[in-house]
């Protein structure tokens, strides 16, 4: 591969914050805001659809220590979205801080601020609300054009034309096609027509949603929040509160996980509103139950696939329709759905003659969905990969061979992926590597263990993107310190993934120094250069490139300063890491001398800021294979081995890339076998604690084995693409496949619980 | 009510509400390593040691700790640092929010079973959830630590190094 001689890039460097985290230092929001603050609690609607007739707060306000109780009458009347997206946001402006119309069980009705949690909770009990209960829309299949409107309000506003219509319960709708898919399907020797259903899953990051707000020493609103999107958060708060952005500062400390959940400003507006009204510090920490019932989980989707192929296994046409359930509000609704087609269909570019991808995104009276790692691609890939496995089984072909024949290969243009080129694509090598490592030939045949248990294997491929093309902006500021070290300042948000460290590795590589010589700071809207934030698999690819370019600028500045000190032209000196040298005389100046020079009678800063964006979003690729043991009597699935090979371009930090992959696979196993956000027939959430919403433990994931196939993406920093999201996409289809192999039943709805397996019978073929 | 206990080796006496949970008592006494991840004893983030045994501080009244010795990660920094670097070398710290509970329970594990098998490690730590790492990196880190201790104990065999 190209560039195998890096010193800092491509190394398993320890995360810069690792020992602070492992030794339990106070680095999270609640640890660093220990001064007095009003405790904020939210009274939530018990009804899925209702109008608030009256709120009696007098008794609550008499509770000692209660500062204020706010209702819909107290808040600004301008609608906004809490989706953290680049302006103008694709998500509709359909929220108020508190709305008279409550649209799901858990929608806030009143904000309580008190000196203690106990007083706040006591006050909450004393608030008397009269509701006019309305019939809810709970089934997303009947939401479109339902006479019951989730958003009947006149001031519903879509900032972008995404095909939404609040009079039809539509958040978004579109059709996208290349070629005549009906003609191609009609000409195919075999057409599979399948419908798949994926449920809402909760990110369940260990640190729940939380925000602290205060007025700083300039009287500005200072927000310390567990967020992936400091700049979007500032804009959202400005719009929601009706105050200028210049009066708001948002910073994030260390974040206890996000996985996309914190790409939505789920809880920021409430304490911010309290601080603006009272002038006092305020803190809101969601309970686990609140995080589960009023968070921003994955969109439930129903995906209808028509796939046409010839008997030799050539896949010629794909028609994919997605119905997505956005819940009560439209955050990320118009965009997540796009990935269900645009990041599944291109996997089969090789022989594809035509495709069509259409979708509707609907409102229902359930918890609003949001961004979750994979962002729609996970759902689409589950559906399409399962269809391809069904095709292979129907044709009697090896499912890895059918993929060899049809997968996208390096250099191809991908019509279903905005005609972008596959500049770097090692998917074919990933498949071969995984097949060898997994011993596919031995494990694919079903083995009856003779004790009521069966062993079987399944396979799936995946892709994702690296950034939102032509939208995302990543920036980096790098400056020289007088001892010759550097400060790297970013607006991207390390939520545990280690982006602070990998960006420092890139800076160290560029500046020819060690990672220890690069101090990283982020993210703070007052101090950081603008960055869209950490989402859409963009930080390594976009912010990383900004770091690379900022370093090039800084080097030029350092050389210019050194040339001035040496009395020559900048073109006559070379940068050598710890010093700058003038080759024709042999004279040198050290970085330290240059650093001090910038502090004495200097008119030249040794500091560079670069913003970067990309017209393309190069996909990483991946193959996952799983071996399970299935108990035929109980339906219990035990994951034995999960093996994966990933092409993320060049892994900047192989240890962190591996952990990303392992973590994503385990989340995917959870979604496939046990997790589900559930509601009763009235739309009330059930199973909203970790008692019932079961996350995989270390006993549930079997043995993981992750390896990489390198490719070189010419537009990425050091050839890198992304890793964070793709890794969650293979478990659902691979496990569904293995379960079919073991039982003869295709489960087309997630999760596939032991009960469903035990109660199912093979379809007559 | 009055509560007196030993916290990280020092006697602490305080007036508390009878319903106060141990986790809230500990955090209000500067032990910010103790984290709340659920409220239902399901995640293990709030694990501390009471008289040397791991307990979930989110599900225990502070009053029950009266007269007992409570250790949090603040009081076990050196014992934790002994193996935590091996977890760091795997990158398995990740977001870090589950780390203190995981580290506390690992301390309990290594005190109880100094040379555990992989299955013993998995079983002992099964109650410590981690949503980021997929668990394998934590296991590798512990395994490397145990290997390095064995290598230190028998230098003639040569070192086995972490990462």
């Amino acid at each position: 591969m190209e560039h195998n001689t890096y010193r800092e890039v491509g190394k398993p460097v320890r995360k810069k914050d690792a020992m602070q985290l492992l030794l339990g230092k106070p680095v999270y929001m609640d640890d660093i805001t220990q001064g007095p603050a009003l405790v904020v609690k939210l009274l939530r609607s018990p009804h899925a659809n209702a109008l608030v007739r009256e709120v009696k707060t007098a008794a609550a306000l008499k509770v000692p220590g209660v500062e204020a109780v706010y209702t819909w009458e107290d808040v600004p009347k301008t609608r906004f979205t809490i989706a953290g997206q680049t302006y103008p946001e694709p998500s509709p402006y359909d929220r108020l801080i508190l709305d008279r119309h409550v649209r799901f069980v858990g929608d806030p009705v009143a904000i309580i601020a008190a000196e203690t949690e106990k007083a706040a909770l006591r006050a909450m009990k004393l608030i008397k609300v009269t509701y006019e209960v309305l019939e809810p829309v709970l089934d997303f299949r009947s939401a479109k054009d339902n006479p019951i409107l989730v958003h009947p309000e006149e001031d519903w506003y879509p900032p972008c034309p995404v095909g939404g219509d609040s009079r039809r319960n539509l958040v978004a709708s579109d059709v996208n096609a290349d070629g005549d898919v009906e003609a191609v399907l009609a000409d195919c020797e075999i057409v599979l027509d399948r419908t798949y259903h994926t449920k809402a899953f909760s990110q369940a990051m260990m640190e729940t949603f939380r925000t602290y707000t205060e007025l700083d020493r300039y009287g500005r609103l200072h927000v310390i929040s567990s967020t992936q999107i400091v700049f979007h958060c500032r804009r959202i708060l400005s719009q929601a509160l009706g105050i200028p952005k210049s009066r708001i500062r948002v910073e994030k400390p260390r974040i206890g996980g996000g996985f996309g959940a914190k790409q939505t400003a789920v809880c920021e507006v409430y304490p911010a509103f309290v601080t603006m009204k009272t002038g006092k510090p305020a803190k809101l920490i969601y309970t686990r139950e609140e995080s589960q019932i009023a968070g921003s989980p994955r969109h439930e989707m129903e995906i209808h696939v028509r796939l046409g192929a010839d008997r030799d296994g050539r896949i010629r046409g794909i028609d994919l329709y997605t119905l997505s359930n956005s819940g009560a509000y439209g955050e990320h609704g118009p965009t997540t759905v796009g990935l269900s087609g645009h990041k599944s269909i291109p996997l089969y570019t090789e022989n594809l003659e035509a495709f069509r991808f259409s979708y509707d995104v609907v409102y229902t009276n359930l918890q609003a969905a949001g961004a979750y790692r994979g962002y729609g691609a996970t759902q689409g890939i589950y559906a399409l990969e399962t269809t391809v496995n069904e095709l292979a089984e129907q044709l009697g072909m090896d499912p890895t061979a059918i993929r060899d024949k049809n997968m996208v290969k390096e250099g191809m243009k991908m019509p279903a992926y905005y005609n972008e080129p596959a500049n770097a694509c090692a998917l074919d090598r990933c498949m071969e590597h995984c097949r060898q490592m997994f011993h596919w030939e031995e494990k694919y045949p079903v083995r009856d263990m003779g004790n009521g248990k069966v062993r079987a294997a399944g396979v799936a491929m995946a892709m994702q993107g690296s950034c939102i093309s032509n939208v995302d902006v990543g920036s980096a500021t790098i400056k020289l310190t007088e001892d010759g070290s550097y400060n790297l300042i970013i607006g991207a948000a390390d939520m545990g993934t280690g982006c602070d460290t990998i960006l420092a590795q890139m800076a160290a590589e560029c500046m020819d120094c060690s990672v220890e010589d690069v101090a990283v700071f982020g993210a703070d809207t007052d101090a950081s250069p603008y960055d869209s934030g950490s989402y859409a698999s963009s930080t390594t690819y976009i912010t990383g490139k900004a770091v690379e370019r900022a370093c090039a600028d800084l080097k030029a500045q350092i050389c210019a300063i050194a040339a001035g000190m040496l009395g020559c032209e900048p073109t006559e000196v070379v940068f050598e890491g710890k010093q700058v040298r003038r080759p024709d005389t042999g004279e040198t100046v050290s970085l330290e001398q240059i650093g001090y020079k910038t502090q004495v009678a200097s008119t030249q800063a040794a500091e560079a800021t670069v913003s970067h964006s990309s017209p393309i979003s190069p996909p990483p690729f991946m193959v996952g294979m799983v071996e399970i043991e299935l108990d035929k009597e109980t339906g219990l699935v035990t994951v034995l081995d999960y093996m994966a090979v990933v092409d993320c371009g060049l892994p900047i930090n192989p240890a962190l890339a591996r952990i990303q992959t392992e973590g994503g696979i385990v989340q995917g196993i959870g979604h496939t076998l046990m997790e589900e956000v559930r509601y009763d027939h009235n739309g009330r959430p059930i199973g909203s604690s970790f008692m019932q919403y079961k996350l995989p433990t270390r006993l549930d994931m079997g043995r993981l084995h992750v390896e990489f196939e390198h490719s070189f993406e010419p537009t990425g920093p050091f050839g890198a693409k992304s890793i964070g999201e793709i890794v969650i996409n293979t478990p659902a289809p691979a496990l569904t496949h293995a379960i079919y192999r073991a039982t003869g039943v295709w489960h087309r709805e997630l999760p596939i619980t032991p009960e469903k397996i035990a109660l199912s019978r093979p379809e007559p073929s | 009510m009055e509560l007196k206990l030993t916290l990280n080796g020092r006697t602490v006496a305080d007036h508390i509400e009878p319903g106060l949970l141990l986790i809230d008592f500990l955090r209000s006494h500067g032990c910010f390593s103790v984290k709340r991840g659920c409220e239902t004893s399901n995640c293990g983030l709030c694990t501390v040691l009471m008289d040397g045994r791991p307990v979930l501080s989110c599900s225990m009244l502070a009053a029950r700790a009266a007269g007992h010795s409570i250790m949090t990660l603040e009081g076990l920094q050196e014992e934790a640092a002994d193996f935590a670097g091996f977890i760091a070398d795997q990158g398995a710290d990740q977001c870090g929010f589950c780390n203190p509970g995981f580290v506390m329970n690992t301390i309990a594990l290594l005190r109880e079973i100094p040379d555990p098998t992989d299955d013993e490690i998995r079983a002992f730590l099964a109650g410590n959830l981690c949503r980021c790492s997929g668990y394998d990196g934590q296991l590798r880190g512990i395994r490397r630590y145990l290997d390095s201790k064995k290598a230190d104990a028998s230098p003639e065999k040569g070192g086995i190094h972490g990462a």
Side-chain angles (χ1 to χ4, degrees):
Chain A
M1 295 312 302
E2 299 184 47
H3 303 292
N4 263 338
T5 53
Y6 297 129
R7 288 176 309 99
E8 301 293 342
V9 156
K11 302 288 187 296
V13 175
R14 207 184 256 197
K15 270 175 67 215
K16 279 185 168 287
D17 53 352
M19 292 313 285
Q20 292 289 99
L21 301 180
L22 280 158
L23 295 178
K25 304 297 185 190
V27 296
Y28 303 95
M29 184 283 271
D30 191 39
D31 306 338
I32 61 170
T33 56
Q34 282 295 319
L38 294 172
V39 175
V40 179
K41 289 281 172 189
L42 302 174
L43 173 67
R44 298 179 179 279
S45 167
H47 306 294
N49 193 14
L51 291 174
V52 176
R53 278 271 185 74
E54 187 185 25
V55 188
K56 286 187 182 165
T57 60
L61 286 166
K62 283 184 191 146
V63 174
V66 169
E67 174 83 14
V69 176
Y70 302 108
T71 70
W72 66 272
E73 290 179 287
D74 301 309
V75 301
K77 302 291 180 256
T78 307
R79 287 193 186 272
F80 57 93
T81 178
I82 56 172
Q85 299 178 297
T86 296
Y87 179 86
E89 305 94 319
S91 300
Y93 291 176
D94 55 7
R95 288 225 186 218
L96 296 171
I97 297 173
L98 295 171
D99 202 330
R100 193 181 182 191
H101 186 173
V102 286
R103 298 178 176 83
F104 70 97
V105 175
D107 215 356
V109 175
I111 304 170
I112 302 125
E115 286 166 13
T116 63
E117 182 174 27
K118 201 173 171 185
L121 292 175
R122 198 159 154 234
M124 191 191 290
K125 286 201 179 108
L126 295 171
I127 297 172
K128 291 280 172 280
V129 186
T130 312
Y131 296 96
E132 178 185 339
V133 179
L134 307 171
E135 191 182 334
V137 183
L138 298 176
D139 179 5
F140 77 132
R141 296 180 186 92
S142 61
K144 185 176 161 183
D145 293 323
N146 194 302
I148 301 165
L149 294 181
V150 178
H151 283 275
E153 67 273 14
E154 293 297 325
D155 55 349
W156 181 88
Y157 174 70
C160 285
V162 292
D165 182 350
S166 61
R167 298 280 140 193
R168 303 181 62 199
N169 283 334
L170 265 183
V171 179
S173 179
D174 198 14
V175 183
N176 182 277
D178 182 64
D180 186 345
V181 77
E182 291 298 344
V184 170
L185 291 179
D187 189 51
C188 284
E189 291 169 356
I190 178 169
V191 176
L192 265 62
D193 187 321
R194 298 285 185 271
T195 301
Y196 303 91
H197 183 198
T198 69
K199 302 290 184 62
F201 305 115
S202 185
Q203 295 88 348
M205 61 283 162
M206 288 295 118
E207 184 195 38
T208 58
F209 299 101
R210 54 193 60 195
T211 301
Y212 169 86
T213 53
E214 65 182 5
L215 296 182
D216 72 6
R217 49 197 177 273
Y218 299 98
R220 297 162 74 224
L221 179 66
H222 179 200
V223 180
I224 302 176
S225 190
S226 185
T227 179
Q228 300 172 222
I229 43 155
V230 290
F231 286 98
H232 293 332
C233 193
R234 181 176 68 178
R235 189 192 63 241
I236 291 164
L237 288 172
S238 164
Q239 191 175 356
L241 300 168
I243 58 174
K245 293 166 191 71
S246 60
R247 286 193 59 203
I248 305 173
R249 170 187 175 197
V250 181
E251 65 166 315
K252 66 113 211 154
R254 301 324 290 174
I255 304 173
F259 314 113
K262 295 168 183 173
Q263 194 201 336
T264 300
V266 167
C267 74
E268 282 85 344
V269 296
Y270 309 108
F273 180 72
V274 168
T275 290
M276 291 310 292
K277 291 290 266 191
T278 63
K280 295 181 178 177
K283 190 188 285 191
L284 173 56
I285 295 178
Y286 271 20
T287 61
R288 179 56 61 186
E289 184 186 17
E290 285 180 296
S291 270
Q292 291 285 111
I293 70 164
S296 55
R298 197 186 284 299
H299 286 77
E300 176 185 25
M301 290 186 187
E302 187 173 81
I303 298 168
H304 183 189
V305 184
R306 290 162 71 219
L307 182 144
D310 282 347
R311 296 222 160 265
D312 63 1
R314 280 188 312 130
I315 297 170
R316 298 173 53 200
I318 296 173
D319 182 21
L320 193 147
Y321 168 77
T322 302
L323 177 67
S324 174
N325 183 359
S326 195
Y329 299 96
E331 288 94 44
H332 302 281
T335 39
T336 44
V337 73
L339 277 67
S340 69
H342 290 303
K343 290 191 172 115
S344 58
I345 300 169
L347 284 169
Y348 293 96
T349 296
E350 172 85 86
N351 302 305
L352 202 67
E353 294 163 38
F355 80 89
R356 179 169 55 202
F357 168 45
S358 51
Y359 58 77
D360 291 307
V361 184
V362 294
Y363 281 121
T364 58
N365 290 112
L366 298 169
Q367 172 180 199
Y372 187 167
R373 190 183 210 176
Y375 204 82
T378 316
Q379 296 94 313
I381 285 170
Y382 159 66
L384 186 57
E385 283 297 276
T386 305
T387 312
V388 171
N389 283 331
E390 293 200 38
L391 175 72
E393 298 293 342
Q394 201 159 320
L395 292 174
M397 283 183 74
D398 182 312
T400 67
I402 203 168
R403 288 181 167 84
D404 291 339
K405 194 180 270 241
N406 290 290
M407 70 170 68
V408 61
K409 312 230 165 49
E410 192 158 276
M412 285 180 183
K413 190 182 80 168
M414 297 174 281
Y417 194 59
Y418 317 104
N419 282 314
E420 285 188 24
N423 285 332
C425 174
L427 183 56
D428 49 354
R429 282 187 276 133
C430 289
M431 181 62 82
E432 185 53 33
H433 187 154
C434 202
R435 205 159 26 206
Q436 298 294 332
M437 178 168 90
F438 184 80
H439 298 294
W440 176 257
E441 300 283 329
E442 293 163 38
K443 291 191 174 170
Y444 178 54
V446 178
R447 285 142 291 144
D448 195 317
M449 305 308 288
N451 53 356
K453 293 178 181 173
V454 179
R455 290 192 178 184
V459 61
M461 305 192 300
M463 63 180 285
Q464 195 77 35
S466 305
C467 85
I468 306 171
S469 52
N470 292 309
V471 175
D472 286 345
V473 173
S475 305
T477 295
I478 184 156
K479 55 184 181 180
L480 177 67
T481 308
E482 63 267 31
D483 65 355
S485 66
Y486 300 95
N487 288 101
L488 175 65
I489 303 154
I490 56 168
D494 190 334
M495 63 195 111
T497 54
C499 76
D500 287 359
T501 305
I502 64 136
L503 294 172
Q505 285 179 260
M506 293 187 205
E509 189 69 47
C510 293
M511 302 311 295
D512 203 8
C513 64
S514 80
V515 176
E516 287 71 38
D517 289 332
V518 182
V520 185
F521 173 82
D524 182 332
T525 55
D526 272 13
S528 301
Y530 179 81
D531 198 292
S532 320
S534 286
Y535 59 86
S537 292
S538 66
T539 304
T540 300
Y541 178 72
I542 291 289
T543 309
K545 198 70 183 174
V547 168
E548 194 186 344
R549 290 179 49 211
C551 288
D553 285 6
L554 178 61
K555 265 197 264 192
Q557 290 173 7
I558 289 172
C559 285
I561 296 165
M565 293 165 76
L566 294 169
C568 64
E569 293 300 312
T571 50
E572 294 174 72
V573 300
V574 289
F575 181 87
E576 291 185 339
K578 285 288 171 202
Q579 62 183 15
V580 174
R581 191 164 59 91
R582 186 179 177 184
D584 59 354
T585 64
E587 292 170 280
T588 62
V589 280
S590 71
L591 271 195
E592 189 175 1
Q593 289 171 306
I594 296 166
Y596 277 118
K597 176 74 181 90
T598 63
Q599 298 179 341
V600 186
S602 172
T603 56
Q604 164 82 66
E607 175 176 334
T609 298
V610 166
S611 288
H612 185 72
S613 189
S614 173
I616 60 169
S617 172
F621 296 97
M622 174 172 180
V623 171
M625 293 181 182
V626 66
E627 184 188 22
I628 62 166
E629 183 168 274
L630 187 144
D631 185 320
K632 293 189 118 170
E633 196 173 2
T634 65
L636 182 71
V637 172
T638 304
V639 178
L640 300 177
D641 278 295
Y642 204 106
M643 297 199 181
V645 181
V646 188
D647 160 23
C648 60
L650 178 84
I652 301 294
N653 184 320
L656 296 177
R658 179 181 183 183
I659 294 278
Q660 281 296 303
T661 311
E662 292 170 343
I665 288 169
V666 173
Q667 286 187 6
I669 290 172
H671 299 169
T672 311
L673 298 180
M674 59 190 85
E675 296 178 39
E676 177 182 359
V677 174
R678 292 183 299 149
Y679 302 92
D680 71 9
H681 61 283
N682 291 314
R684 294 198 177 95
I686 46 177
S688 48
S689 78
F690 281 171
M691 200 88 80
Q692 300 102 331
Y693 190 95
K694 285 293 186 192
L695 307 184
T697 73
R698 64 194 78 219
L699 301 177
D700 297 316
M701 21 75 70
R703 291 180 296 268
L704 305 178
H705 198 90
V706 173
E707 294 197 4
F708 293 91
E709 277 292 334
H710 293 188
S711 65
F712 186 86
E713 171 53 46
T715 64
F718 306 96
K721 300 188 284 186
S722 79
I723 185 78
E725 292 187 273
I726 182 176
V727 292
I728 202 169
N729 293 339
T730 61
L735 280 161
T736 300
H737 188 201
I739 291 166
Y740 161 78
R741 296 283 299 169
T743 61
V745 181
W746 288 106
H747 288 269
R748 300 191 182 98
E749 180 180 87
L750 300 181
I752 311 171
T753 58
E755 290 85 343
K756 285 187 191 168
I757 293 170
L759 294 172
S760 64
R761 294 290 172 267
E763 297 165 30
S765 52
Chain B
M1 62 178 285
E2 297 302 319
L3 174 67
K4 195 171 168 188
L5 52 74
T6 309
L7 176 56
N8 292 326
R10 307 177 84 166
T11 302
V12 175
D14 202 355
H15 184 81
I16 62 159
E17 297 269 332
L20 185 70
L21 292 169
L22 182 59
I23 184 175
D24 295 318
F25 176 84
L26 294 172
R27 285 188 65 86
S28 71
H29 283 78
C31 299
F32 297 121
S33 73
V34 187
K35 297 290 188 278
R36 182 180 261 118
C38 60
E39 287 92 25
T40 50
S41 317
N42 290 98
C43 74
L45 267 63
C46 63
T47 304
V48 299
L49 303 185
M50 183 161 86
D51 302 331
R53 296 182 67 83
V55 295
L56 297 175
S57 63
C58 84
S59 304
M60 190 177 136
L61 292 174
R64 274 193 56 202
H68 292 278
S69 165
I70 299 291
M71 294 298 286
T72 70
L73 188 46
E74 280 80 3
L76 294 170
Q77 293 280 297
E78 279 182 27
E79 193 170 348
D82 203 27
F83 63 85
F86 291 84
I87 313 286
D89 285 336
Q90 296 295 328
D93 43 296
Q94 289 292 294
C95 88
F97 207 70
C98 76
N99 288 359
F102 159 75
V103 166
M104 290 301 288
N105 215 17
T106 303
I107 287 173
L109 160 72
L110 296 174
R111 287 179 180 181
E112 192 172 319
I113 315 173
D115 187 21
T117 64
D118 285 358
D119 279 345
E120 284 172 332
I121 295 170
R122 288 193 190 97
F124 200 101
L125 300 175
N128 291 89
L129 295 181
C130 169
R131 192 61 156 170
C132 295
S133 75
Y135 303 111
D136 245 23
Q138 295 180 343
L139 178 66
R140 285 195 298 273
I142 295 172
R143 179 52 55 205
R144 295 284 163 91
Y145 163 71
L146 295 168
D147 289 348
S148 81
K149 273 208 315 186
K150 284 179 199 169
D152 289 347
S154 52
E156 71 279 5
K157 287 181 186 168
I160 302 166
H161 298 288

